Structures are given as C-alpha cells and as structure tokens.
Amino acid sequence: MASPLSPDSKSADREAGDWPGRRLGLPESGPRSVARLGRRVAALVIDWGLAYLLAWVFFSTPGASPDPFTILAIFAILQIVFLALLGGSVGHLLLGMRLVPLVPGWIGVWRPAVRTVFLCIGIPALIWDRDQRGFHDRLAGTVLVRR
C-alpha cells in the first residue's frame, strides 16, 4: 500500500491522468490549456497597476493617492471593455492568455461584466473548482486559457 505522501498515491480530488480543463475538453498543456495560477496572478497585478496608474494620472490631487473606489472602477471598466473587445485584459494579453466562453461564439458583454463584478468583490480568490477556474469564471461560463 502506498503512503499518502508517495507519488504513486492518488489524490482524493484528482485521478491519475487528470488535469485542469480535462472535463472541459481542453488539453493538458500548450495552446488552449487552462492558464495556471502564476500567470493569472501576474496578469491581475499588471491590470491593477494599470488601473492605479490611470487613477493617479487623471483622478488624484497633487500629493495624494487616488481614491481606492476610483481605482476599482477603472479596473472594472478596463476588464469589461478589453475582455469584450479583445478576449483578454491587458495583463492577460501581455502574458499570453485569453478568455473564452465554454459554448462556441462571441464572449459578449454580459460574461465579462458578470466575471468582473465577482472579481472585484474578491470571490474568485476564495472559491476554485477542480479545473482551476474561479467562481467568477464558473458563473460567467468562461475559462481563461493560454494562447
């Protein structure tokens, strides 16, 4: 019998030969595979930094930091616009990712809007599924994949 820490043991959540995105029909690696956590976090930092920069340039008073809600609003607007028009935020596109719907067709505007609302309230950081999709992606019917 294999010990719980041995590489031969199966995880309770994942069977041997399973990977994030398999149940969604996505490959294990390469283009169209599920984007991993490191890339996602880096993209979020880029997007948040861009929102902060825009808030600081256009909406802050000299010697003061921009209002956090202004930064959040700019972040949300950038997310919705870039996801709907280009299939990815600035951070996603710079790091080789894109957002795709689970059903064929255009991503639309409602999917990025739903995804962004939940992203802005922090839910995805707390709730993930076996395919490494945040709750915001599950509700929107989307998945973030590598290009």
Side-chain angles (χ1 to χ4, degrees), residues 2-83:
S3 75
L5 299 177
S6 74
D8 297 336
S9 67
K10 292 183 181 181
S11 168
D13 292 340
R14 187 164 292 154
E15 298 174 13
D18 198 9
W19 62 85
R22 181 173 184 209
R23 283 164 294 287
L24 304 173
L26 301 175
E28 183 174 4
S29 62
R32 290 205 43 89
S33 64
V34 172
R36 300 303 194 260
L37 182 61
R39 230 178 247 241
R40 291 168 161 262
V41 170
L44 184 62
V45 169
I46 291 169
D47 293 336
W48 194 259
L50 179 61
Y52 185 90
L53 179 66
L54 291 172
W56 181 71
V57 168
F58 294 108
F59 298 103
S60 70
T61 58
S65 294
D67 178 55
F69 290 108
T70 302
I71 299 168
L72 187 63
I74 292 171
F75 174 82
I77 291 167
L78 288 174
Q79 288 289 307
I80 293 169
V81 169
F82 275 87
L83 288 172

Side-chain angles (χ1 to χ4, degrees), residues 79-81 83-84 99 107-117 140:
Q79 288 289 307
I80 293 169
V81 169
L83 288 172
L99 188 71
I107 199 158
V109 176
W110 76 269
R111 291 177 199 280
V114 166
R115 185 180 190 278
T116 299
V117 166

